Amino acid sequence: MLNFWRFDQSDAALGRLLEGSYDPLLVLLSVGLACFAGITALLLADRIIASGRTPSRFWWLVGAVPMGCGIWAMHFTGMLAFRVEGASGMTYAPGLTFISLMPAVVGSAAALYFIAHSDSGGRRLQWCALLLAGGIGTMHYTGMEAMRMPGLRYDFPLFVLSLVVAHLLALMALRVRFGMRRLLPLTPYTTSIVAGLVFGFAVAGMHYTAMSASSFYEMPQSATAATLLSDTTLATAVGGLAMLILAMSMLASWMNRRMESRRRIELERLAHTDSLTGLPNRLPFQLRLTQALSEADAKGSQIAVLFLDLDDFKTINDSLGHAIGDRVLQICASRLRDSLRADDAVARFGGDEFVFLVHHINSVEDAEGSAKRLLQRLDAPIRLDDRKLHVSGSIGLSFYPQDGETAEDLIQAADTAMYQAKRERLRYFLFDRALSDQARERVRLISDLRDAMHNDQLHFYYQPWVEFPSRRWAGLEALARWMHPTEGAISPDTFIPLAERHGLLLQFEEWALRRTCRQARDWLDMRFDFGRISVNVSAHQFARWDFVDELRGVLYETGLPGTRLELEITESSLMVDHPTVLQRLERIRELGVTFAVDDFGTGYSSLNYLKTLPLDKLKIDATFAKGIPQDSKDMAIVRAVVEMGTSLGFSVVVEGIEREEQYEGLLVLGCSYGQGCLFSRPLPSGSVEAANASVQPLVCD
C-alpha cells in the first residue's frame, strides 16, 4: 500500500510545499476518543476476566472492537482537524479507509489477549507492545494512503520515529496496566482508567508524531471516476463509531456495577457463612445471641449456649486425609442442624467446633435434653465409600443469666465447660464458676508454652530400658519436662493436652524430634554408645502426609544415623487405613529407624493385626506391672503378651518397674527387657553417661 517513492521529496513533479494547520477542539476530541476507547476496552477486559467462566476468557475480542474503532476514529478525527492550505476539503478512498480499521482491531486484540492471560513477563510484554504498535502504525499509514493527496511525502527519520514512539508508549501503557497495582494501593477499576488514558495518549502520540513526518506538496490532480468519501461522510462514519464506543462503554459500566454488586453479595455471604458446611459462622451467631439476650432479658426467660467439639477428629483428618475429614464435617453439620428446633441456632466456629443457641429453657434438664439429642445424632455411624466411621463429641453448657451477661461471656463459659467434659471424659458438662479460674490459668499456660520452646524452659530427661537379667542398658527414652520459671516442674500430662487442644502439639513434636536427634548425635561424637534413643510420636504427627520427609530432613540435618533412632507410636496411630500405615512404616524403615508400640494393652489393637506391620517392639503399659507378682490376672496378661509377642518376633519391654519383687516376678514370666525407676530415674542429658557407667539399681520414692 505504501509506495516507497513517498520518501522521495526531490520529484520534479512536486510543486510548492503547502502549509497545514489543526483545529484545536477537534484535536482534543481525537485524543479524548482514543482515551475513551482505551478505558472502555480495559474495563470490558476486567469484567470478562472477573466473570470467572472459562468461555469468557476468549471474549477479549469484544474489547478489541471498541478499542480498535477508537484508534481508527481518533486517526480520522485528527485528519478532520487537519487543514491543508489551498485544499477546500480532503477526500478519501472508501475501500482503504475502512480496510485501515482492521489493523487497529487486530493490534488491540493482541494487546487484550496478553492482558487477559495476565502474563507480565518482559519478553511477552515486548511482543504485546510490538503487536499493538504495529497495528496502530499500519492503521495510520493505510489511512493516510486512503487520502487523495498525490503530493503527500514522508520524512524518513520522523517516519521511523513515529513507529518507535508507538512502541514505547504502548509498552509504557502495558507496564502501567501490570505494574501500577503493585506500586500503588489502587483498585482494579482505577488502574484500568489510568492505563486506558495512557493507551489513548500512546495512540495520539504516534498519530501526531507521524503527521509531523508528513509533508504536502502541490501537484496536478488526475481525474478519477472512483467514489470518494467527503469530510462530511467521514465525519458521519467517525460519529457512528464513536456511538459504538459509547454503547460499549455503557455495557462495560453496567457489567462493572453488576459484578461489583455480585461481589459485595458474595463477600457478605462469605463473611457470615462457613464455606464448608453452609452453617453460619461466628459473627452472625454472636449477633443473634446478643439479640436473644435482649429478648430473654425483656421476657425474664432463660437461654442456653452449648459448645460442642468432636472427639479425636484430628486423627480422622490426619490419617484419612482432609477430603474425608471435610466430608465428615459436612455430615456432622447436617445432623446437628437437623437436630435443632425451628427457633434455635447453630454455627461453626472453626475446625471441629460447633456452638448452639437454645431458646425457652425452663430448667437445666431442658438444656441437658438438647445436649443428649445432639450427641445421640452424632453417634450414628458415618459410611463413606467402603469406610465405616464413628464420631462422638463433648459438649459444654452455659446459661443466661447465671453464667454470663454477654454473648462472649456465655460462649467462653460453654467452651470452658466443654474442655472440662473432655478432661473428665464426660459426654457433657455444665459450667461452674470455679472453672473460670482454671480457664484463665489455661490461657496463661498456653501463652507461656509458646515461649518455653524458645526460652530454654523445655528440656529432655532420658530413662533407659535394660536387658534382663544383666540390667545392662539397651537404650534410652526421651521424656519431655517443662521447668516453668514460677510454677516449677509441669507434668507432660498437663502441658501435652494443652498443646494439642490449642494447635501447638505438632510444633512441639517437631521441636522434640529435632532436639532428641541432636542430643543423640552429640553423644555419638563423645563416643558414648547409648544403643537406640526413642522418642514418642503422636497419632497426629505420624498421620501427617509429610512426616516421612520431615523425619528424613531431621536425620540429615543432625547427622544421626537412622539405626540409632526408635519411634514410639501408640496403638491408635496404627488402627486406621492399614495400606497407608503399612506404606508409611516401610518408608521409615528404609531410613533404618525402628518402631515400638507404646502403652501396649491399653488400646484396642490385636497382635493378629500388628503382626502384619513392620514393628520391632511392644512396650507393656505400667498399669500391668503394678500388681506383679501378687495379682494373678496381671501376671497372666503379661505372660500372654510376652509369649505371643516373642513368638511373633517382637521384643517386649515392661514399663513401670519400681520394686525388686516386680523384677523377680517378670524374670519368672520370661521377660527380656524392662524400664522403670528400679533401674534408673529419668536423667538430664549431662548425667546420662555417668549413670550408665555405674549401673546401680535405685529405689523409687
Side-chain angles (χ1 to χ4, degrees):
M1 294 181 184
L2 179 62
N3 296 315
F4 286 96
W5 55 264
R6 290 201 183 274
F7 294 113
D8 183 11
Q9 299 181 9
S10 61
D11 189 347
L14 294 178
R16 65 185 182 91
L17 180 64
L18 303 177
E19 295 292 332
S21 62
Y22 288 97
D23 183 330
L25 292 179
L26 287 177
V27 170
L28 290 176
L29 178 61
S30 68
V31 176
L33 275 173
C35 294
F36 194 45
I39 293 171
T40 299
L42 291 181
L43 289 178
L44 278 171
D46 280 344
R47 292 308 100 212
I48 291 165
I49 294 169
S51 67
R53 296 171 299 187
T54 303
S56 66
R57 294 285 181 174
F58 303 99
W59 284 18
W60 38 267
L61 286 171
V62 176
V65 172
M67 187 172 178
C69 290
I71 294 171
W72 186 90
M74 180 271 148
H75 169 82
F76 284 101
T77 302
M79 295 311 299
L80 289 173
F82 185 69
R83 288 291 180 267
V84 178
E85 176 190 352
S88 58
M90 294 186 183
T91 55
Y92 302 86
L96 282 179
T97 298
F98 288 105
I99 287 174
S100 66
L101 175 61
M102 295 300 104
V105 173
V106 172
S108 300
L112 294 181
Y113 174 82
F114 282 90
I115 290 173
H117 287 71
S118 62
D119 187 341
S120 57
R123 180 179 298 178
R124 198 170 170 91
L125 205 63
Q126 288 284 352
W127 274 107
C128 179
L130 187 61
L131 289 172
L132 179 58
I136 296 172
T138 303
M139 181 280 305
H140 176 87
Y141 287 107
T142 303
M144 294 293 287
E145 280 300 302
M147 295 172 56
R148 299 296 86 186
M149 293 287 293
L152 173 63
R153 295 294 183 271
Y154 298 111
D155 179 87
F156 185 75
L158 289 176
F159 173 87
V160 174
L161 178 62
S162 69
L163 298 178
V164 172
V165 167
H167 178 261
L168 293 178
L169 290 178
L171 182 62
M172 183 177 68
L174 291 170
R175 289 199 178 277
V176 167
R177 177 63 172 73
F178 284 117
M180 182 172 289
R181 294 180 191 175
R182 294 194 295 267
L183 299 176
L184 297 173
L186 299 178
T187 65
Y189 186 78
T190 304
T191 304
S192 294
I193 290 177
V194 175
L197 291 172
V198 177
F199 268 120
F201 283 108
V203 175
M206 185 273 166
H207 173 84
Y208 289 106
T209 303
M211 288 301 295
S212 67
S214 304
S215 300
F216 297 90
Y217 293 89
E218 192 176 51
M219 283 190 73
Q221 293 288 338
S222 59
T224 179
T227 302
L228 299 178
L229 296 176
S230 65
D231 282 355
T232 303
T233 306
L234 184 61
T236 302
V238 170
L241 290 180
M243 291 299 294
L244 173 63
I245 298 170
L246 177 61
M248 298 295 283
S249 177
M250 293 175 64
L251 173 63
S253 179
W254 175 79
M255 291 178 65
N256 183 69
R257 286 196 302 270
R258 183 173 180 180
M259 292 298 297
E260 289 296 333
S261 177
R262 289 174 58 183
R263 184 182 290 112
R264 283 194 299 270
I265 293 172
E266 181 65 15
L267 288 175
E268 185 175 353
R269 187 189 69 80
L270 291 175
H272 292 82
T273 306
D274 174 58
S275 59
L276 178 64
T277 64
L279 295 177
N281 59 22
R282 182 185 297 266
L283 178 60
F285 181 85
Q286 288 180 319
L287 293 175
R288 183 165 181 180
L289 178 55
T290 301
Q291 181 181 0
L293 295 180
S294 300
E295 295 173 357
D297 192 45
K299 297 177 181 178
S301 60
Q302 288 189 349
I303 61 175
V305 173
L306 283 62
F307 201 113
L308 182 148
D309 184 89
L310 300 181
D311 296 331
D312 295 324
F313 174 73
K314 288 185 177 179
T315 302
I316 295 176
N317 210 30
D318 293 340
S319 60
L320 301 182
H322 292 286
I324 296 295
D326 287 348
R327 291 173 65 186
V328 169
L329 281 175
Q330 290 170 337
I331 294 172
C332 290
S334 178
R335 291 179 177 180
L336 295 172
R337 180 175 50 233
D338 295 342
S339 302
L340 294 179
R341 299 174 301 184
D343 55 348
D344 294 336
V346 59
R348 183 187 179 206
F349 267 37
D352 56 349
E353 296 178 339
F354 301 87
V355 185
F356 304 84
L357 166 62
V358 182
H359 290 276
H360 311 305
I361 296 298
N362 297 319
S363 65
V364 171
E365 287 74 18
D366 289 345
E368 289 180 324
S370 297
K372 292 175 182 176
R373 187 170 61 252
L374 292 170
L375 293 171
Q376 185 178 6
R377 289 298 302 272
L378 282 181
D379 287 341
I382 295 176
R383 299 184 182 276
L384 291 176
D385 302 328
D386 58 343
R387 297 182 176 90
K388 182 179 179 182
L389 304 176
H390 293 273
V391 178
S392 60
S394 301
I395 294 180
L397 296 89
S398 64
F399 300 89
Y400 176 79
Q402 55 265 44
D403 294 333
E405 297 182 354
T406 67
E408 191 61 40
D409 289 342
L410 289 170
I411 294 171
Q412 182 61 48
D415 182 32
T416 301
M418 183 274 297
Y419 181 78
Q420 190 68 18
K422 282 188 175 293
R423 289 190 62 182
E424 298 189 16
R425 299 184 182 278
L426 300 172
R427 301 299 305 275
Y428 64 88
F429 195 90
L430 275 62
F431 176 74
D432 187 331
R433 286 287 179 184
L435 296 177
S436 297
D437 294 337
Q438 298 178 18
R440 284 192 289 271
E441 176 67 14
R442 224 171 38 244
V443 171
R444 184 179 64 83
L445 283 179
I446 281 297
S447 178
D448 293 344
L449 183 58
R450 293 180 189 276
D451 300 328
M453 285 181 283
H454 306 290
N455 295 338
D456 205 27
Q457 295 173 11
L458 285 173
H459 306 279
F460 272 104
Y461 279 52
Y462 301 88
Q463 187 175 36
W465 69 83
V466 303
E467 290 182 346
F468 290 170
S470 67
R471 301 195 184 192
R472 184 175 62 86
W473 286 15
L476 296 168
E477 179 182 2
L479 302 169
R481 296 291 184 267
W482 182 10
M483 299 304 298
H484 194 279
T486 58
E487 302 293 332
I490 297 179
S491 168
D493 293 337
T494 298
F495 71 80
I496 294 296
L498 275 177
E500 181 176 4
R501 171 159 171 73
H502 292 272
L504 296 177
L505 184 59
L506 288 178
Q507 180 182 349
F508 168 76
E509 289 181 324
E510 291 172 8
W511 170 86
L513 179 63
R514 184 170 280 101
R515 174 66 71 90
T516 301
C517 291
R518 186 174 293 120
Q519 177 62 68
R521 178 69 257 181
D522 290 343
W523 278 331
L524 290 179
D525 293 340
M526 296 164 56
R527 301 186 181 280
F528 169 44
D529 187 1
F530 53 83
R532 286 183 182 270
I533 192 165
S534 66
V535 61
N536 288 277
V537 174
S538 73
H540 306 312
Q541 186 180 22
F542 179 74
R544 287 178 54 185
W545 65 271
D546 60 345
F547 174 66
V548 179
D549 294 331
E550 176 191 320
L551 176 62
R552 182 184 292 108
V554 170
L555 293 174
Y556 177 79
E557 175 188 329
T558 59
L560 180 68
T563 53
R564 291 288 187 166
L565 180 64
E566 184 169 84
L567 302 181
E568 295 195 10
I569 308 173
T570 60
E571 294 176 66
S572 61
S573 305
L574 305 171
M575 298 302 294
V576 291
D577 198 5
H578 181 271
T580 301
V581 170
L582 178 60
Q583 182 186 44
R584 189 163 296 163
L585 290 173
E586 289 175 343
R587 289 181 61 198
I588 295 175
R589 284 294 293 269
E590 292 173 358
L591 302 175
V593 179
T594 57
F595 298 95
V597 180
D598 195 20
D599 298 334
F600 184 79
T602 61
Y604 47 81
S605 64
S606 68
L607 287 172
N608 185 53
Y609 173 78
L610 294 180
K611 73 179 183 180
T612 65
L613 301 176
L615 303 173
D616 302 277
K617 184 181 296 179
L618 303 179
K619 299 189 74 173
I620 300 178
D621 188 70
T623 56
F624 298 106
K626 286 184 178 180
I628 293 176
Q630 295 85 4
D631 192 313
S632 60
K633 293 182 178 179
D634 284 346
M635 292 281 286
I637 291 173
V638 172
R639 178 186 291 109
V641 174
V642 169
E643 290 178 355
M644 293 180 64
T646 303
S647 66
L648 293 174
F650 298 130
S651 300
V652 181
V653 179
V654 181
E655 299 178 296
I657 304 173
E658 300 179 354
R659 304 184 311 276
E660 191 68 34
E661 57 265 31
Q662 287 176 299
Y663 167 65
E664 297 293 340
L666 292 170
L667 280 178
V668 172
L669 295 176
C671 294
S672 301
Y673 297 93
Q675 182 178 1
C677 291
L678 178 64
F679 312 112
S680 175
R681 295 187 181 91
L683 301 168
S685 58
S687 305
V688 170
E689 189 173 4
N692 180 50
S694 62
V695 191
Q696 296 296 321
L698 300 172
V699 179
C700 293
D701 296 333

